[in-house]
Amino acid sequence: MTSNESAGSPACTGSPAGTGSPGSPEPTERVRVVVYLRAPEDGTEPLERAYREISWVRPDTVPGLLRSELLRDVDRPGEFALHGEWESLEAYRAWQFGPDHKDSPSALRSFQDRSRGRHYAVYGITSEEE
């Protein structure tokens, strides 16, 4: 992701790679990042358009980003989640704290859903079926 989030977003919060609580993913393990989003009252098109227009959601533009997708809640159509899969926590943190991300406000920032408290989460994969 070459970015676009700003203060208070996954770009500017969290701890550097290799730090964290027991049970945290190791810096070399794959992680998934979820950013919770909410569409404006007048419809979902502005949020969907913003997602399509930002460059950092395309894996070929950001080292370590394996995939990115915008998910819509089937029971609450105005709620979305931006899901990114990263090859490692280290790759995600390098992007998260890097200048391409930190210095550019995101087109999605105004859609971040802060009603649930923290508007994003970084998940380590603890179990996976092949």
Side-chain angles (χ1 to χ4, degrees):
M1 299 188 172
T2 59
S3 181
N4 288 321
E5 302 262 337
S6 64
S9 73
C12 299
T13 56
S15 58
T19 65
S21 60
S24 303
E26 291 298 316
T28 57
E29 294 178 21
R30 269 187 312 149
V31 294
R32 303 221 171 127
V33 178
V34 178
V35 180
Y36 302 102
L37 306 165
R38 183 178 299 274
E41 294 294 321
D42 60 343
T44 64
E45 179 54 32
L47 187 154
E48 293 177 50
R49 185 176 348 99
Y51 172 80
R52 289 189 303 270
E53 290 173 359
I54 56 178
S55 63
W56 58 263
V57 298
R58 292 188 283 284
D60 59 334
T61 65
V62 180
L65 178 63
L66 301 174
R67 68 183 284 163
S68 177
E69 56 196 352
L70 183 63
L71 309 171
R72 184 188 308 215
D73 187 317
V74 297
D75 294 319
R76 296 181 199 100
E79 295 183 20
F80 290 78
L82 170 60
H83 169 259
E85 183 176 354
W86 291 81
E87 68 184 21
S88 67
L89 179 60
E90 185 174 58
Y92 170 68
R93 295 290 192 219
W95 171 79
Q96 177 187 30
F97 294 111
D100 286 342
H101 184 77
K102 283 184 75 167
D103 297 339
S104 302
S106 175
L108 291 173
R109 189 171 202 283
S110 64
F111 302 110
Q112 291 173 353
D113 184 359
R114 295 174 182 269
S115 69
R116 59 178 71 231
R118 196 167 78 159
H119 67 282
Y120 77 98
V122 180
Y123 296 96
I125 300 169
T126 59
S127 180
E128 186 173 32
E129 296 297 319
E130 293 284 331

